[in-house]
Amino acid sequence: MSDDKTIDGTAREVREAARPAAKAVPRRTWVVGAVALPLALGAVGLSLAQGTPFQPTPVAPVAIEALAPSGATAIKGQVAEIFGNKFVVQDGTGRALVETGREGESGGLVAKGETVTVQGRFETGFLHARVLTQGDGRTLLLGPAGGPPTGSLDWAKDRLGLGPKPDMATLTASVQAAGYGDVRVMGRGPRHFEVAAKDRDGREHQLHVGFDGQVRERPAPGLPPL
């Protein structure tokens, strides 16, 4: 009697499990990825600063007693009091309350007694700071950076220097041709600038100026209706 066991050696076909069909990647995803990839990898040789950072038009300070509703005005004086993200500036004519937004929540942006220049939007009794020049000469830009939303395709192009490059002289000429003067650029959107300007009668207006030169009137909070 043999202890050998017979092993069935019949060959059988082993079928590979069916793989799910690959999903087509939308073309827009490839475009966004192609533009954003250098950013994620550090973009050797490409600076994130290539997109021109927005800078508001410099505005000469006025006496505090002369403050009036405006999309872009400025004051200069000493810091008298600090209340969280707000502080009081005083000059020889009066006092003004300045609001600094999120950047000033620590209360450490300025020091009591420091001489500062503040530029921003004045309405409802507050000067909403956009540019703060401190006693030592440092200038801080407060509030949103402006431009396309972070992470969007337009943002990626802007960071790589591939976005639109508006000609400020041409856009200013468009605003002037529409009948406005004293043109001050306050902020930037994806494809437009927010502009403060005055009409021929000296009344303040807030404008939406597209990179294509189109000028549209915007409601101006705190200003009387025309």
Side-chain angles (χ1 to χ4, degrees), residues 102-122:
R102 182 176 300 175
E103 290 89 344
E105 288 179 353
S106 67
L109 278 183
V110 296
K112 190 171 182 178
E114 179 182 7
T115 298
V116 297
T117 301
V118 186
Q119 176 177 325
R121 184 182 77 257
F122 183 72

Side-chain angles (χ1 to χ4, degrees), residues 47-218:
S47 169
L48 290 179
Q50 282 187 343
T52 303
F54 167 74
Q55 293 291 336
T57 302
V59 177
V62 300
I64 289 177
E65 68 174 0
L67 276 173
S70 173
T73 189
I75 59 173
K76 182 177 182 178
Q78 281 192 325
V79 177
E81 298 176 71
I82 302 173
F83 310 98
N85 71 342
K86 299 178 179 64
F87 60 89
V88 175
V89 174
Q90 65 180 19
D91 64 9
T93 69
R95 290 181 155 209
L97 186 59
V98 176
E99 189 271 329
T100 59
R102 182 176 300 175
E103 290 89 344
E105 288 179 353
S106 67
L109 278 183
V110 296
K112 190 171 182 178
E114 179 182 7
T115 298
V116 297
T117 301
V118 186
Q119 176 177 325
R121 184 182 77 257
F122 183 72
E123 62 183 29
T124 61
F126 285 83
L127 180 59
H128 301 272
R130 188 73 171 98
V131 182
L132 172 65
T133 303
Q134 298 178 294
D136 59 5
R138 288 182 301 156
T139 297
L140 301 176
L141 187 63
L142 306 177
T150 301
S152 67
L153 178 58
D154 284 340
W155 174 84
K157 288 181 177 179
D158 202 49
R159 297 301 90 191
L160 292 171
L162 303 176
K165 298 176 177 60
D167 184 334
M168 291 304 301
T170 300
L171 293 181
T172 299
S174 297
V175 175
Q176 293 171 336
Y180 301 96
D182 191 12
V183 179
R184 290 147 287 149
V185 180
M186 308 180 302
R188 183 192 161 178
R191 298 181 183 277
H192 73 278
F193 286 109
E194 303 295 342
V195 172
K198 293 182 179 179
D199 62 22
R200 294 183 177 89
D201 296 323
R203 292 175 297 190
E204 181 91 5
H205 296 262
Q206 292 187 22
L207 309 173
H208 179 293
V209 183
F211 291 172
D212 58 359
Q214 184 179 11
V215 179
R216 294 195 310 238
E217 184 87 15
R218 296 181 63 248

